[in-house]
Every structure is written in C-alpha cells, then in structure tokens.
Amino acid sequence: MSTFAALREQLADAANEFTTGPGVLGEILAGMVDDVDRALREELEIFPVCHHSPASGLAMVRRLHEKRPAVIYLELCEDLRPLLDELHNCKLPVALQAFAGELDGFPAQWAPLSVVAPITEASAEYQAIAYALGTPGVELVLVDRSTDHVFQWSPQDSGPPGEPADTDEEVALHGDAVGIEIGDLRPRFGDLEQYLLHHGKVRHWSEWWDQYVEQPLTGSDYDTYRQVMVMIGSLFRRLRPTRDHDRDEDRERYMWTRMREHLAATGTDPANCLYICGAFHAASRVAEFGVGYDGEPYAIEPRTGTEWRYGLIPSSHSAIEAQFGSAPGSVSIAAATWSKGLRRSGLAAFRLGAKTTGSRAKRKAITPVSAGVTDRLSGFLSSPPPLDELDEAELLEWSVDIVRLARRNGYLASTADAIAVFETSILLAGMRNRARPTPYDFQDAAITCIEKDRVPGRRDVRHLCEILLGGDRIGQVGYDALPPLARDVLDRLAPLGLDQTKRTIQRTLLDLRADPQLRPCSDLLWVLRRLLPPDAARPIMGSRGLGERSIQESWDLALGRHQRRLVELGYEGVTVEQVLEHRLRREVVAADATAAVALAAVEDALVYLEQVRLADELGTRAVALLSAERTVDDAPEVLRRIRRLLNHFRSTGPELPEWSRRFVTEGYAHYCTLLPIAFTDDDTGVRQVGAMLGFLFGMENLALSLGCDHTQLELAVRQSHPESPDKVALLWAAQFQLGLVTLAELRTRCDEMLGNPLVVPSFPRYLSGFIQALESAPALKPFVVELLSKAFGRLPDAVLLPWLPTLIKTLRSEAADFVPGLVAEAGRTFPATLPAIESWTPPWSATAAVAAPASVPATGPATDLLFAHPDTCTALAAMLGHDTTWQELEPGSHNGPCAEVSALVERYPESAESLAGLLPPTAGS
C-alpha cells in the first residue's frame, strides 16, 4: 500500500475534517484507494472502459499499439463470439443479437427473448475486436455470462426483462431487447447523480461525464487513465443499491473463472493478456478476483434447454441512446470527439478489413504494468484539469453551418443568428467554467438563438445540431452476414431490379399478365406483407384473397429500413413460407387461441401458402376450439370467416372438406346450446347474439343436410327469455324466421310501442336489435325500413337525436353486412324523384287502409281444396303480411265470387270452349 500511502492519508484527513470521525465517509474514501491499488497490482492487466467513451477508445488504441497482447479477454456474452467474425461485412453501428422464440426453462409469457450488444467504431470494445481479428496469432475470448444466464439471473416472478419498443422508427431498431454494453458507468445512487448534475450545471449525465471525465482524460497518459477510471468505478460500486450486489458479484466471479480456465488450458502467460471490462467491474472485491486465486472454484449453472439464435441487426446512435438512457445526441457527439481525438493525436485506429502487421512470435517480452505502478491519482485530483483554448475557427464553422441548415429546414435564420450563436456559446461555456465551448454548449446556444415558437419542418434545432455534429448514423448488416432466410428473400426479389439494402422507400410495378415470371415475386411480397410491419411491403395496387389474384400490382418496399425484422425472421426458419407455416401452427395451439383465430389461419394457409393439407389440419383444430368455447364473443368473426371459406370451397371443389362439414354441424349444435344463455347474459352483446342467429339460420340448410335436427333450434328459441330491448327484438326476428310470429303481429307490437309514452324512450334499442337481426332474417329488410321511417317520423327529438350517433356508429361498423341491403330496400320503397314524394303513400300505410272483404267466398272445388289443406295458403299469407284467420263456410252457398265467375262464363262461352278444345277429352266431359 506504499504507492498510494500519501493519497490515503490525505483522504483520511479530509474525512475527519468534514465529519465527526472516520465513519462511513472514511471507509468509502479509503476503500476507493484500496480498489485502485488492487486492480493495478493484478498480474493480468485490467483495462477499465466506459461504453461509447472516446477517452476509452483512444486509450485502448494507444495501449494496443504499445503492448500488442496475445490474448484479449472481453466482457461480453461468451456465446456471441461467432458473430464477431461477421463484423467486417457490416456498416457500423450494428448490434450483436441473441434471439429465442420458443422457451424452455423460462416463463412462457416472456417469449420472445432478445439480447443485443451494440457496437460503434468509437467504442473501446470495437477497437479491441478489430485488433484481435485483424492481427494474426491474437486470440479473442469473451468471458461474460451467456445470454441464457442473463435471463436466468433475472427475477422469475416479475415481468419479462427489457423495455417496450419505441414507436419512433429509428429509435426502435433494437425492438424490446435487453441491452448489454461494456462499462455502464452511471451512478446507481439517485441522490449522487442529482448532486453531480446540480453542481456541474448540466442537465443530463452524458453532459456531466463529457465535461468532467471525457475531456480531462482524452489526452492523458495510460496510467492516469487506468487509475481514474478504476477510482470512478469503485465510487459508483460502493454507492450502489444493496439489491444489485449479488448480480454484479456473480458476473465478476463468472468472468474470472472463465479467464483462469482459459489460462490453465492454453498455458498463456498472463503478462501477454489484456482483460477489458467495465470500470465498475475493474474495482471488484470478490474473493475470486485475480488469476492467482486457488480457492473453491465458482460453480457455473448449466444453461436451460432454450435454443438461441444469433445474428447481427442494424443499430443507430439514437437507438443506443434510447435503450441505455443517454442524452439525445450524446453518441453522435462522442463519435465527433473520437474523430477529433484521432486527428490531434495522430493515432491509427483499428478497423476490420485492414490487416495489421506483427505476429505472436515476434513480440517482445512485456513487463507487467503492475511492476511499475506510480501514483497518478494525487496529481490528477489536486490539480485543475487543463482547459482547452477556444478554437474560434471550429466554433465559427459550427455557427455558420447551423444557420445554413436551419434555413434549409424552414427557419428564418440569418447571419445575425450565427453571430448570436457564436457569442452565446462562449458565454454559456464561461458560466459553466469551461474555456472552450463543448458541443453541448453550442447546442444550447443554437436552441436559444434560432428556435422559434414553432418548428416549421420535421426537425427542431436540437435535431439539426445532432445532424451537424455527425448525425444519427444508422448501421447496416451486409449481405454475407445475413441469415439464410434474409439472403433468400433478397435473391428472390432480385428480378424486380431494386436495391433492397437502401433505407428509402422504393416503388415497383409488377405486370403479371405481361411478365408471368414476376409471379413468384408477387407471392413472396404477399407473404412478407403478412410477416413484416405494414410499411415494409405496402401494396399500392392489387389485392390477395381467397380465389383472388391480381393481374397488375404496385408496391412500396422498405426492406432496408426493416432489416432487423427480416433478420429476426431468419431465427425462425430457412424460408419465409416455413416461418409462416410455423407461426400459423403456433397460433392455433396457443393458450388463447379461439375458433376465429383458427379460421383466420386456415384462410392465410390457403391465400399465402396454397397448402390444402395444412388448411385441413388447421380447420380440424378450429372445430376442436369451437366445441371447447364457453363464450360467443367471436361469433361475428366466426360467421364472417366460415361463410367466406364455404363459398370458396363450393366454387373451387366438388365437395366441402370434411373439417368444414364438421364445423357447421358442431357450430349448429354449439350455438343452439348457448343461445338461451346468450340472450340473458348481460356480458354478451347484441352483435354476438345476432351473429349466432345468423350462423344458425344461414347454415341451417347445410346443417340439416348433414344430420342436424331443426327441433333443436326451435327449442333454443322457445327457451330464450331476454329482458334487454335489443335482444327482445332479436328474439322476435328469430320467431318470425321460424314462423312462430307473423309480420302483422310484429307490426302491431311496434306500433303499440310507438304509441306508448313509457316505451318510446327505449324504442331505438328495439330498432337496433332489428337491424342486427338482418343477418339471420333478411326477409325483414322491408320491415326495418318501415320501422326506420316511422321512428324518424314519430319519435320526439329528445329521443331521436341522442340515438342518432349510436345508429350511425352501428351502421358504420357493420356497413358491409347491413347497409347495402337496407339501401337497396329503401330504393325499392321510396320514390326516385322529388315530385313523386308529394303524392307518395307509404306501402305500410296503404296496406293498413285496405279493409278486409265482408263476404266469404262460396264453396267450390278450389275453395274446398284450400279449406281442406290450409297450411300452404296460411304460410304464403303470413309471408305477405296478410291476416290468416279462416272463417267457416256455409254448405251449399253459391253467393260470392264463385257464382259471379259462373255467370261470367255463361255469358261469354267462347273462351271456355276454346280452352276445352285445347285440353284432351276426359271421361264424363
């Protein structure tokens, strides 16, 4: 402890001066010095880093050029190692991803699981990766816990790890994945962070870090950098919440165990190795710390049975900032600082694809860094950081460029605004104890001087400053680094002649009649339309449905913008057709699957895959789901889809599939059983009951031909006793359809309700029920038009006006089912011209004005036949809305129309004789 003895005494004196005794403060200050000394004396050189830190990146480049290590141990999930070899095919920033769709050993509600580790060119980890992969004989070993352990160590009783995906397209490049980065240096003690932000006169942690850590360490020597970073990591480590202790220490035990295992297996000299980890973990105090530990080895839990898929996805500065809580634009500013630091120092950064010279055999023996540890902390903490001189040329260039960029985006900026931005930047830097304005000072000055009361374009001044200082760089995964599915998609779309790697929207026209070779491209685009977000492949012209094929199609394609989603499809299968097939099977066997979901899967299998066998399999599952359902919430969807499927099967095949016949019979029995309950259940809406009746009456002929019993439906209707007015109207419509109620009786009931002041307020609900009944009783369309006319003519405004929004909403939501029939019926009922309206009489009023005949028809052969078999005449009269009361005939009576007909025949015998001549002679004629 002699190296830092003086610093230790100074910190102890400070603790005694500011407190009544050594206490907790003295322990923290002394412990920080101990952590620094322990890390620097370790035989295996520890390189502490902070994620996306230009200072860490520059220090890494210097140290790699100086030491030329043979083995690099990197704090990153060990199972991501194979992905690093594909980075040379990518345009940074990109993210390493591990994805699992089917879980084994984790809660089912967590699916899917995703882990991402973003990589930028300015990060220290990328410099180490580029050096290791580009230098012959250098081995790169990832030592952090696997992605499986990331979720194993998460609380199983809480929700799935990760944050919901942002709605912004550029911010949501990582989706809802769990982010992993090397060196997350941020206080986990909230009060400490607020204290630092307040006294540093900054708004965000990224700005504080840039001012007090990045700028002082950018040009410092390696020893100072290491000691300061370990000290900061030790401070944040000692001021962390207690709940994080076990997780952090387990990670450190895991990493040291893996490093000792590798050293023992390869016999590598630790002096030729470099351990790169976050500064937080460099100040570790676990017993397993160091390569010289000889105690009980740490037991690493085995992985679960979850099968993980690995790949590279595009990333962006904004996505990294959003996922890790950095200030907007901070990663872009870090990239600009990194580029400036390289120019100033003259360092040559490592990049994949640029081979470096040297081999393991030619390396010189390296003296361990710990052998010559000197105290650099005392001088760094006791002296103010060197202040950079004002670079007027750089600041002036920024000021002019931001005004030019603002004018292009609709702002009324001028040269005076550029001068104001220049002077305000210097003023803000002076207020914050900085001689040289930082990009954050310049950004604040630009917002103050240029931002108006509104944003004239899509970008505000803050966004324009980010663009000026480097922009939101968006990475891209190269073709060779894509999974087989993504490469297959790009190959199959090659005939379109589009560059699908571009992030812009590209339009293409497919004339399938003139060029049938484009038909496979069309089929693929429709499958992508089903699997990817709506704007990834958007049809402008053309459609695809059951039995429907377009002859021309126009598409807007943005597959480059949705490259992450395309890569994740590659984790589920080799082709998009295989992925869709697997998804359809998973959808119908899921715990929340319903008959409507299964029918939708059947339709997708026929439309997109054209697989009859798969459709039969999914349809069989739909029958089982329908039989097991205890609610009728999805009855409208079930009715709509089964109708469409039956029409398709009738038009394309000689007979219906077996599963569809079973679905009709099972559905008939199922809905008959649930009908009385649905009528009385308050949680079942009128739309659901109307759809049930539509299924029962619409499928009745087919169901009866397949062996169902009509009595079951009649009993279900008779057992139904609803109380809600709209459901009562549905019941009346069902009774009318069964012949239990005549149209005249329905008209009488409704007229009585319109004349009853107590019932008038609820009459619109009856009318809504009749509208819903059109699905099951289409013969009621004239009657519904009649009721609507009477309602608008007789209901008071206090009842009619509040009901109109409900009527409009009902007709709009069910427009495809009800509106065409009602409009057609209204067109037949009402006059077509305005002059005809004045003399028009409603047909229901005219029917009511016709008096019943007073006389009774006389007996005769026709009359006797009708009286002997009245059922047919009664049914016809009921359908036409006439009275079906039969009166008694007086035997032998010849008065009435029959006698008049006889007299007419006797008066004009020529017609009867001509008719008799046409008929063959009969006996007795």
Side-chain angles (χ1 to χ4, degrees), residues 39 46-51 56 60 73-76 124-125 143-144 181-186 188 209 225-226 229-234 236-237 251-252 255-256 275-284 289:
I46 301 175
F47 191 104
V49 299
C50 173
H51 63 72
S56 296
M60 176 65 69
Y73 298 113
L74 185 60
E75 178 198 334
L76 197 60
E125 57 265 34
V143 295
D144 200 2
E181 282 192 319
I182 299 177
D184 183 12
L185 274 186
R186 184 168 183 170
R188 300 182 187 176
W209 181 266
Y225 168 82
R226 288 184 72 201
M229 292 295 288
V230 175
M231 181 195 67
I232 296 174
S234 176
F236 293 168
R237 184 185 186 91
R251 288 185 62 188
E252 291 152 7
M255 290 187 285
W256 281 108
Y275 171 35
I276 303 172
C277 67
F280 188 88
H281 297 295
S284 175
F289 180 89

Side-chain angles (χ1 to χ4, degrees), residues 594-600 603 632-645 663 671 687-688 691 775 814 817:
T594 61
V597 171
L599 291 177
E603 189 171 342
V632 293
D633 296 339
D634 294 331
E637 185 73 9
V638 170
L639 175 61
R640 181 167 58 252
R641 292 193 178 276
I642 192 60
R643 274 180 176 173
R644 190 158 55 228
L645 287 169
F663 191 93
Y671 285 140
R687 179 71 183 118
Q688 283 70 29
E775 191 121 52
E814 309 297 339
D817 298 328

Side-chain angles (χ1 to χ4, degrees), residues 141 172 300 372 442 447 559 569 645 769 870 894:
V141 183
I300 297 178
F442 168 73
I447 294 173
L559 297 183
L569 287 181
L645 287 169
H894 294 281

